[in-house]
Amino acid sequence: MEKVLLKNIDNPDSATIKAYEAAGGYQSLKKALDLEPKKIIEEVKSSGLRGRGGAGFPTGMKWDFASRDPKFPKYLLCNADEGEPGTFKDRPILEKNPHLLIEGMIISAYALQAERGYIYLRGEYPHARDVLEKAIAEAYERGYLGENILGKGFRFDLSVHQGAGAYICGEETALIESIEGRRGQPRIKPPFPVNVGAWGMPTVVNNVETLANIPYIVEIGGEAYAKIGSSDCPGPKLYSISCCVEKPGVYELPMGTSLREIIYEHAGGIKGGRELKAVIPGGISTPVLTPDKIDTPMDFVSLPKIGSMLGSGAIMVFDDTVCLVRVCWRAMRFFEHESCGKCTPCREGTGWMRNILERIENGFGREGDIELLQDVALSISGKTFCPLGDGAANVVLSFIRNFPDEFEYHIKNKKCSAGEE
Amino acid sequence: MALVDEIREIGRKYPDRRGALLPSLYLAQKEYGWLSQEAYETVSEALNLPPATVKGVATFYAMYRKKPMGRHLIQLCTNVACMVMGAERLVDLLKERYGLEPGGTTEDGRFSLVIMECIGACDRAPAMLVDTDFHSDLNETNIFEILEKYK
Ligand SMILES: Cc1cc2nc3c(=O)[nH]c(=O)nc-3n(C[C@H](O)[C@H](O)[C@H](O)COP(=O)(O)O)c2cc1C
């Protein structure tokens, strides 16, 4: 497959506007500004593009909702918070192909008739901030941003808003609170941001990778785009793969490529030729899978059928030396730290789950701890404003469901079985 | 430009100047080294927000420094991918070598250490930021070669 999202990133100058334009960049913007905004929304609808931030919501439909709302001004927010552990797929776009994102945002803003955009960038990516700010300045200089873009009478202003180390701000309503200068605590939905978002106005929040697909959709048309990859959720997809593989990294492949192909063909197989024990397909919040499931296509439709989710497409591979109780405990320490504290089940439950996992891992597990963990997890699932708590519960429930022996062994023998030959 | 003016300038990027609060806290932190009472008051004055509001927002976010820090801030990731690739051993070594504990500062004020939640470099784990410099593929030797460059 020809690369769309990571095109040219091997060129050392790929982040400059010169290199981007030389490779055909900003041609889609020129084409888009000659189209009716509605026509672009139609193309995105027919492309079948689904949001790459985790939830997989149809992008064209989201835009349509915002576009139909009569209130102005409208806002376009790019979600570059990339906080889901295991995820590093937006990073190459932000650091090496920033103009693709910027072009995607200008076209999207035109389609939505939004005059103001922000890129909500996680604080942990200081290099990306420098790259983006330089790229935005270049785009202003060229007349792609600001007043009267390319003489077509459309105005769009864009800037970077830097986060400050809060995973929850990746959740779209918390992100909006954070841009408004508040603590990043999610809002209850409805109303949805497409109607009542930033500063109470219609707001579209899209992930970096989602927006980076837009120039290509405008270039080849929605129908042609819909033929790439899985038919229910087409397009190119960035998969980030890490932990126990020979060649961890970000791979751009057609949506729906199987886990087996990604692990063994692209990422070079399990490190040191060891045995595969477990794999998390879509970032730490998505349920873990056993090795017999790796022929599943990595997409929004196939993974739910086997009890997991595509999430951010962040694959974490664990071999037989890794202690899964420890992985579970570390994940829970993360959720406890990142719970925003608004909803009691999540705030209290993540701490208790971390506590119980810690004693199991440290050899102080008690009989009944597994049931207790499940009970706490089920008291969080579905009982919170936002899905952070569900993610935490998923980890515990799926690890126990798929690897019960490992938990039982820890409790009974007060030690770990991983790595024992 | 004075800090207050700089903050007001940023406020123009937002329809409501409170939007400038997060960027302003970064600026104040840079100027004062950490978010001291004085830093909060400056931001509060520039944005015309109560100091309690400013502090209330700042304390929500991990990357604002609520106490004085060493000359160099090490933010080391120990989340799952970094953990699997050996980050916990590095935490132990920092303690052995510098007496540096997570959340603490060395006695000579050279380094502070903060444990970070996923730095988004899982393919090059373990990884850390030292101030704003990114370092990856760390191991028991190269981490000290890197840190020795920060005096
Ligand atoms: C706890 C939590 C964290 C999230 N973090 C991110 C993130 O870092 N980046 C992202 O794009 N979406 C994240 N999301 C999803 C967003 O809420 C939202 O669905 C997404 O930005 C919409 O964009 P899309 O339709 O282009 O996917 C997160 C959701 C939750 C519940």
Side-chain angles (χ1 to χ4, degrees):
Chain A
M1 191 186 76
E2 86 172 291
K3 286 206 170 81
V4 174
L5 306 166
L6 301 184
K7 190 172 157 185
N8 286 320
I9 64 159
D10 297 329
N11 174 349
D13 294 326
S14 62
T16 63
I17 200 162
K18 218 170 137 201
Y20 184 68
E21 286 187 320
Y26 287 107
Q27 291 305 319
S28 291
L29 174 63
K30 288 172 190 156
K31 185 172 168 186
L33 291 182
D34 282 329
L35 300 171
E36 284 286 315
K38 284 264 172 310
K39 169 76 180 139
I40 300 171
I41 297 180
E42 285 312 316
E43 285 300 325
V44 173
K45 271 187 171 173
S46 68
S47 75
L49 174 65
R50 291 174 61 170
R52 305 298 198 233
F57 193 83
T59 306
M61 203 192 286
K62 186 186 279 189
W63 289 12
D64 204 19
F65 290 144
S67 155
R68 281 170 197 274
D69 193 294
K71 293 194 295 295
F72 280 93
K74 300 189 201 295
Y75 295 102
L76 174 64
L77 309 181
C78 168
N79 192 340
D81 199 47
E82 187 142 270
E84 175 73 14
T87 313
F88 47 96
K89 69 180 180 70
D90 294 336
R91 190 177 192 129
I93 298 178
L94 296 165
E95 292 184 348
K96 298 192 175 141
N97 210 357
H99 284 288
L100 180 67
L101 172 62
I102 294 168
E103 183 178 10
M105 285 193 79
I106 305 166
I107 297 171
S108 309
Y110 174 72
L112 296 159
Q113 293 292 296
E115 281 183 20
R116 193 68 177 81
Y118 300 90
I119 299 172
Y120 190 98
L121 178 70
R122 65 186 314 222
E124 292 85 345
Y125 283 3
H127 178 59
R129 183 200 53 217
D130 295 344
V131 173
L132 282 170
E133 280 182 344
K134 189 155 169 256
I136 289 172
E138 285 177 324
Y140 268 103
E141 252 168 52
R142 276 286 222 278
Y144 297 142
L145 282 170
E147 266 174 83
N148 196 13
I149 295 172
L150 295 172
K152 303 281 182 187
F154 174 63
R155 177 190 183 119
F156 182 59
D157 285 298
L158 180 63
S159 49
V160 176
H161 184 97
Q162 197 182 354
Y167 165 64
I168 190 60
C169 290
E171 193 282 333
E172 56 185 9
T173 62
L175 184 150
I176 290 170
E177 289 282 305
S178 185
I179 282 198
E180 291 182 359
R182 297 170 204 283
R183 294 166 74 88
Q185 294 188 314
R187 298 174 180 174
I188 193 95
K189 298 190 262 192
F192 291 94
V194 287
N195 301 117
V196 183
W199 297 285
M201 290 296 155
T203 299
V204 164
V205 183
N206 273 134
N207 171 256
V208 173
E209 186 188 347
T210 311
L211 293 162
N213 270 280
I214 302 301
Y216 190 60
I217 293 174
V218 169
E219 180 189 333
I220 69 166
E223 235 173 84
Y225 181 95
K227 296 201 175 82
I228 306 168
S230 301
S231 55
D232 297 318
C233 42
K237 176 78 192 96
L238 297 178
Y239 295 107
S240 43
I241 180 165
S242 63
C243 298
C244 312
V245 289
E246 287 288 348
K247 291 188 287 175
V250 180
Y251 295 93
E252 179 175 345
L253 299 166
M255 178 73 92
T257 304
S258 75
L259 264 172
R260 181 184 299 280
E261 181 184 328
I262 300 171
I263 296 171
Y264 288 96
E265 283 178 36
H266 302 285
I270 309 301
K271 204 164 186 173
R274 297 201 70 100
E275 207 166 310
L276 174 64
K277 178 168 168 186
V279 52
I280 293 178
I284 206 81
S285 306
T286 62
V288 65
L289 299 171
T290 45
D292 57 307
K293 300 280 172 37
I294 63 169
D295 288 307
T296 311
M298 282 283 289
D299 64 37
F300 289 114
V301 179
S302 308
L303 285 162
K305 288 184 187 153
I306 56 160
S308 193
M309 290 186 284
L310 179 62
S312 57
I315 303 161
M316 303 174 86
V317 176
F318 305 117
D319 70 20
D320 53 355
T321 63
V322 176
C323 170
L324 296 182
V325 176
R326 194 159 189 84
V327 168
C328 210
W329 161 78
R330 185 59 185 85
M332 207 49 60
R333 209 179 101 184
F334 164 78
F335 286 111
E336 178 187 19
H337 185 258
E338 300 301 330
S339 173
C340 80
K342 185 161 178 163
C343 308
T344 311
C346 172
R347 182 186 64 234
E348 301 299 319
T350 50
W352 278 109
M353 291 196 294
R354 196 265 308 139
N355 215 323
I356 300 162
L357 286 162
E358 195 160 297
R359 75 177 177 226
I360 297 176
E361 170 65 6
N362 290 340
F364 300 103
R366 304 172 195 163
E367 213 179 304
D369 270 355
I370 294 179
E371 293 74 17
L372 184 58
L373 274 173
Q374 287 170 317
D375 188 45
V376 177
L378 290 171
S379 310
I380 302 173
S381 284
K383 297 183 178 67
T384 53
F385 269 38
C386 93
L388 186 143
D390 297 318
N394 275 343
V395 172
V396 158
L397 294 172
S398 70
F399 272 78
I400 292 176
R401 185 172 62 242
N402 288 304
F403 303 96
D405 298 350
E406 197 157 333
F407 285 81
E408 278 157 22
Y409 188 96
H410 270 79
I411 293 174
K412 223 162 142 194
N413 301 289
K414 315 288 180 206
K415 61 174 185 162
C416 185
S417 59
E420 285 181 8
E421 301 295 325
Chain B
M1 215 190 312
L3 184 56
V4 172
D5 299 321
E6 231 177 308
I7 292 175
R8 292 199 176 130
E9 185 63 30
I10 295 178
R12 288 159 34 139
K13 289 188 189 168
Y14 299 87
D16 170 349
R17 65 179 155 188
R18 181 164 177 170
L21 185 46
L22 267 71
S24 306
L25 287 166
Y26 272 120
L27 285 180
Q29 167 165 300
K30 203 167 159 198
E31 173 114 353
Y32 295 96
W34 64 292
L35 292 176
S36 58
Q37 191 58 30
E38 204 185 347
Y40 286 130
E41 278 164 15
T42 309
V43 174
S44 150
E45 185 200 320
L47 294 175
N48 199 18
L49 291 167
T53 303
V54 173
K55 198 168 179 178
V57 170
T59 51
F60 184 82
Y61 296 93
M63 292 181 83
Y64 295 126
R65 307 177 191 168
K66 288 93 179 176
K67 57 183 183 191
M69 292 271 169
R71 287 194 299 285
H72 301 290
L73 175 61
I74 305 169
Q75 298 184 85
L76 176 68
C77 177
T78 65
N79 205 301
V80 173
C82 283
M83 178 187 87
V84 168
M85 303 307 285
E88 291 174 316
R89 176 81 188 119
L90 302 180
V91 176
D92 293 342
L93 288 174
L94 287 175
K95 188 171 169 193
E96 277 171 34
R97 174 93 173 240
Y98 300 120
L100 184 57
E101 304 242 20
T105 299
T106 55
E107 262 172 42
D108 59 2
R110 182 175 169 201
F111 292 120
S112 290
L113 173 64
V114 169
I115 301 300
M116 195 180 228
E117 292 295 353
C118 199
I119 191 170
C122 316
D123 55 339
R124 291 169 279 171
M128 67 177 174
L129 286 173
V130 181
D131 303 328
T132 55
D133 306 333
F134 172 73
H135 301 282
S136 63
D137 300 295
L138 301 175
N139 58 41
E140 300 182 11
T141 342
N142 68 11
I143 187 169
F144 293 109
E145 288 165 13
I146 293 165
L147 289 176
E148 281 310 307
K149 292 187 197 131
Y150 295 85
K151 290 299 171 188

